[in-house]
Amino acid sequence: MRLVIIESPYAGDIERNEQYARRALADSLARGEAPIASHLLYTQPGVLDDTIPGERAKGISAGLAWGKHAAATVVYTNYGITDGMVEGILDAQNHGRPIEFRGIGTN
C-alpha cells in the first residue's frame, strides 16, 4: 500500500471537518492507500488542543514528520484549503513529495 499524508480542513467547523476527514480517509483506503490524517489523530481529547498555538504547532510538526515516509501528500479540497493545509502543501513541495488534489464525489 502506498503511504500518503491526508490534508483536509480542521479549524473552523470542526464537527463538519472531522466528518470530512473521515470520508477522506475512507476514500484513500478505497484507492488502496495507507493514509494518515494527523489532524484527526493529535486533536483527540487528551492529546493536543488545537486552540492552543504551541500545541497546534507541535501537532503540525509531528504530522509533517511523517512526510519522509510518505509517497505523496493528498489534499482534499471540497471545503477549500486552509492555512494548516498550506503548511502541508509547502512541506511536500520543499521535500519533493508529489501532491495530489482530490474532491470527494468529484473525481
Side-chain angles (χ1 to χ4, degrees):
M1 296 179 93
R2 185 171 80 127
L3 303 176
V4 299
I5 294 177
I6 299 295
E7 293 290 347
S8 68
Y10 184 79
D13 188 340
I14 293 173
E15 184 175 338
R16 179 202 69 183
N17 292 341
E18 285 179 340
Q19 290 174 358
Y20 181 66
R22 288 186 197 95
R23 290 174 52 213
L25 286 170
D27 179 73
S28 180
L29 286 162
R31 295 171 186 252
E33 298 167 338
I36 185 166
S38 62
H39 51 300
L40 284 183
L41 179 63
Y42 299 136
T43 57
Q44 294 181 65
V47 182
L48 295 174
D49 184 338
D50 196 61
T51 65
I52 299 172
E55 290 192 18
R56 175 177 168 74
K58 185 182 291 185
I60 289 172
S61 293
L64 295 178
W66 284 96
K68 65 178 99 175
H69 303 290
T73 291
V74 179
V75 182
Y76 281 85
T77 61
N78 291 81
Y79 295 119
I81 297 176
T82 64
D83 291 343
M85 293 167 69
V86 168
E87 287 188 53
I89 293 166
L90 291 173
D91 183 76
Q93 288 174 335
N94 291 337
H95 291 94
R97 190 169 51 256
I99 303 165
E100 300 172 19
F101 293 89
R102 296 180 185 163
I104 296 174
T106 61
N107 56 347

